[in-house]
Amino acid sequence: MPTLLWFRRDLRLHDLPPLLDAAQPDGEVLACYVLDPRLARSSGPRRLQYLHDALRELRDNLDGRLLVVSGRPEERIPALVEAVGATSVHVSADYTPFGRRRDDAVRDALNGIGDGVPLEPSGSPYLVAPGRVTKGDGEPYKVFTPFFAAWRKHGWRAPARTGPESAKWIDPADVPGGVDIPDDGVALDLPAGERAARAQWEEFVDTALRGYADDRNRPDLDNTSRMSAHLKFGTIHPRSMVGDLGRGKGGQAYLRELAFRDFYASVLHEWPHSVWWNWNRGFDAIKPDEGAEAEKAFEAWKNGRTGFPIVDAGMRQLAEIGWMHNRVRMIVASFLVKDLHLPWQWGARWFLEQLVDGDMANNQHGWQWTAGSGTDAAPYFRVFNPTTQGRKFDPDGTYIRRWVAELADLPVDADVHTPADRRPAGYPEPIVDHARERAEALRRYADLG
Ligand SMILES: Cc1cc2nc3c(=O)[nH]c(=O)nc-3n(C[C@H](O)[C@H](O)[C@H](O)COP(=O)(O)OP(=O)(O)OC[C@H]3O[C@@H](n4cnc5c(N)ncnc54)[C@H](O)[C@@H]3O)c2cc1C
């Protein structure tokens, strides 16, 4: 009997558990993807291009046997089930609030077909699926370090042995409703797709993994793995990566970051309100700035024109390539929340619009960590000083010069982090006084009681 394999955030053929379940010895599989207009509205042009490029590669790897349709999944998936007479629909589980609502709607619609057609999840985008690692009393962890210890102890499965040859695929030409995969020609900094994911990972393991523990905080060295968009779209599963990490310092530091990814997915799963609301509702009492001046400051931040070189470098990197180094994400986020006193949600929304790797769990909780309102968050009184952060993590200003054109030609001996005395024409004056705004932030936080 035919089955459906519905791709979502798992755009690959290797190490794909639902493919094992979908492929029955005597049945055929329809591989499909639903272009959901809601996702198109909430993803910026670069993330959409990345998704579409990954879909094109997936289709090529299946010799064209991927059916792409467009519309609401709760309508399109049942229609495909009926078109091919499928007996089950197989997916990797999705744990985001949006994904769970979508899957509930699809499950309900499938129940209405004949005696009901099951939506069968297997596997997830994570090493350990949300909800699996809990405290002794069954409660979810709120603090990363004990979560990490329990997560390591829990462990994960070996990669699933799957590939294009794992199933007999239905030719999509025989099924109505297929649409072209859009191509808006948006330039991407790094290529999408399963082959690119493997190549990127192998290059990182060969060249930078060993030094990762020491170098990961240095935006000037640019030595992190750049695997985030691949992990977001599942063109590779982290299970296929951990075998290469080894026991060295670099590999162990990398494993910890993958654990952070699982931790934030778990937190969002347990506390779905934290997607746009403070995880710690005590922070609802903070009064952010508003009005025309707040809007003006927000525009300066978005355009990389705050007059703080490390902040401007990060925001321009984001605007230019749709990615920003983690340390700089923390610095620009702290600046938005604690120097400009704007709501973290404004910054999170802008990041989601711009980032190729934009991910609800990592992004919203990265922001909440900085704002102090998240689980295990930075204490509210820790306010990053953008100048000292710049000096520490970009010591000769290589990163700043790379992204802020006005500062690129400052003499080698000039202090690129505080170009006050030799501020080149066209580069803005600092839009705020950091010391004053730090005190103001602390005053507002202290009011929380
Ligand atoms: C304000 C803010 C917003 C963020 N938004 C996102 C986002 O939308 N999408 C996203 O994938 N990451 C986000 N991060 C986390 C982190 O910045 C990126 O995952 C990382 O910079 C991606 O680059 P990389 O693949 O080279 O990272 P590497 O250093 O090579 O890390 C390897 C992988 O580990 C995971 N990882 C690393 N750091 C973190 C972290 N702090 N939290 C969770 N997972 C992590 C990522 O999947 C990453 O690809 C955000 C962090 C902050 C502070």
Side-chain angles (χ1 to χ4, degrees):
M1 297 298 277
T3 57
L4 233 66
L5 177 60
W6 174 23
F7 287 94
R8 294 102 64 88
R9 285 186 50 192
D10 50 356
L11 305 180
R12 65 183 185 277
L13 291 168
H14 294 94
D15 187 9
L16 185 63
L19 171 51
L20 283 179
D21 291 348
Q24 308 293 330
D26 53 352
E28 290 186 314
V29 179
L30 176 65
C32 64
Y33 185 89
V34 185
L35 294 168
D36 184 333
R38 288 169 299 179
L39 282 182
R41 277 197 298 274
S42 63
S43 313
R46 263 184 305 235
R47 195 151 74 255
L48 279 181
Q49 182 75 37
Y50 193 97
L51 163 68
H52 297 149
D53 285 358
L55 283 174
R56 258 184 289 281
E57 201 224 33
L58 181 63
R59 187 187 55 192
D60 292 348
N61 293 344
L62 283 165
D63 277 338
R65 287 159 304 168
L66 173 73
L67 180 67
V68 177
V69 295
S70 172
R72 298 283 285 228
E74 66 271 27
E75 292 163 10
R76 305 306 299 147
I77 292 296
L80 294 180
V81 162
E82 295 197 293
V84 300
T87 52
S88 52
V89 178
H90 298 271
V91 292
S92 301
D94 191 340
Y95 291 87
T96 59
F98 170 83
R100 282 158 66 184
R101 280 197 306 276
R102 177 200 55 205
D103 289 356
D104 286 347
V106 171
R107 197 172 285 111
D108 284 350
L110 290 172
N111 278 338
I113 301 177
D115 293 336
V117 172
L119 178 69
E120 294 192 359
S122 53
S124 77
Y126 305 104
L127 279 167
V128 181
R132 289 261 169 87
V133 173
T134 54
K135 292 195 261 179
D137 57 4
E139 286 296 304
Y141 283 100
K142 296 176 182 170
V143 178
F144 175 73
T145 307
F147 169 89
F148 183 38
W151 177 89
R152 290 182 80 130
K153 213 161 150 201
H154 181 284
W156 37 86
R157 298 195 248 179
R161 290 171 175 274
T162 59
E165 69 298 334
S166 297
K168 195 157 176 283
W169 304 99
I170 292 174
D171 186 345
D174 300 336
V175 188
V179 298
D180 287 339
I181 301 172
D183 188 351
D184 293 328
V186 179
L188 292 178
D189 190 44
L190 290 177
E194 193 167 2
R195 197 174 317 115
R198 286 183 173 278
Q200 173 79 21
W201 176 242
E202 280 163 20
E203 193 191 327
F204 172 73
V205 171
D206 288 349
T207 59
L209 177 62
R210 182 188 281 269
Y212 179 77
D214 297 325
D215 297 344
R216 57 177 289 272
N217 270 312
R218 292 278 303 270
D220 55 335
L221 302 179
D222 212 7
N223 263 347
T224 63
S225 70
R226 296 291 307 270
M227 291 301 289
S228 47
H230 291 302
L231 288 164
K232 152 80 190 174
F233 287 102
T235 46
I236 193 166
H237 194 283
R239 243 182 341 245
S240 302
M241 296 157 61
V242 287
D244 297 326
L245 291 180
R247 294 188 171 279
K249 218 168 90 179
Q252 291 307 302
Y254 198 90
L255 187 66
R256 193 167 181 277
E257 296 311 313
L258 291 178
F260 255 115
R261 180 174 176 267
D262 283 17
F263 177 60
Y264 285 149
S266 272
V267 171
L268 185 59
H269 172 67
E270 298 293 345
W271 292 279
H273 79 271
S274 67
V275 69
W276 286 113
W277 298 97
N278 289 321
W279 178 83
N280 178 348
R281 301 306 292 257
F283 279 68
D284 292 358
I286 292 255
K287 291 264 174 295
D289 281 1
E290 50 190 24
E293 282 304 306
E295 295 285 350
K296 205 169 131 203
F298 186 45
E299 285 305 309
W301 179 82
K302 287 200 297 194
N303 293 320
R305 296 194 58 78
T306 66
F308 288 84
I310 191 82
V311 174
D312 293 342
M315 296 310 293
R316 294 187 196 190
Q317 180 179 32
L318 179 67
E320 222 158 288
I321 67 168
W323 183 85
M324 195 196 298
H325 187 277
N326 179 60
R327 168 60 50 178
V328 191
R329 292 188 203 204
M330 285 157 48
I331 298 170
V332 304
S334 176
F335 189 80
L336 183 97
V337 175
K338 295 183 179 171
D339 284 77
L340 302 183
H341 317 295
L342 299 178
W344 65 261
Q345 291 90 338
W346 290 20
R349 191 165 283 119
W350 179 248
F351 265 36
L352 286 175
E353 150 75 27
Q354 295 288 305
L355 283 171
V356 178
D357 65 26
D359 173 89
M360 288 317 264
N362 286 353
N363 189 59
Q364 309 311 80
H365 282 283
W367 275 94
Q368 295 225 42
W369 181 87
T370 313
S373 60
T375 40
D376 206 4
Y380 73 84
F381 49 81
R382 187 191 293 167
V383 179
F384 278 180
N385 178 324
T387 309
T388 31
Q389 287 282 314
R391 284 204 182 105
K392 183 163 177 201
F393 296 109
D394 181 24
D396 10 310
T398 306
Y399 174 76
I400 288 171
R401 290 169 203 272
R402 194 181 302 148
W403 294 107
V404 183
E406 302 94 301
L407 302 179
D409 296 329
L410 276 183
V412 184
D413 64 337
D415 182 359
V416 73
H417 300 286
T418 47
D421 48 341
R422 284 192 254 179
R423 190 165 292 269
Y427 188 65
E429 293 292 327
I431 59 169
V432 291
D433 176 320
H434 172 70
R436 199 171 55 220
E437 302 312 333
R438 175 177 185 280
E440 172 61 14
L442 294 181
R443 188 189 65 71
R444 295 190 197 193
Y445 280 101
D447 277 355
L448 286 182

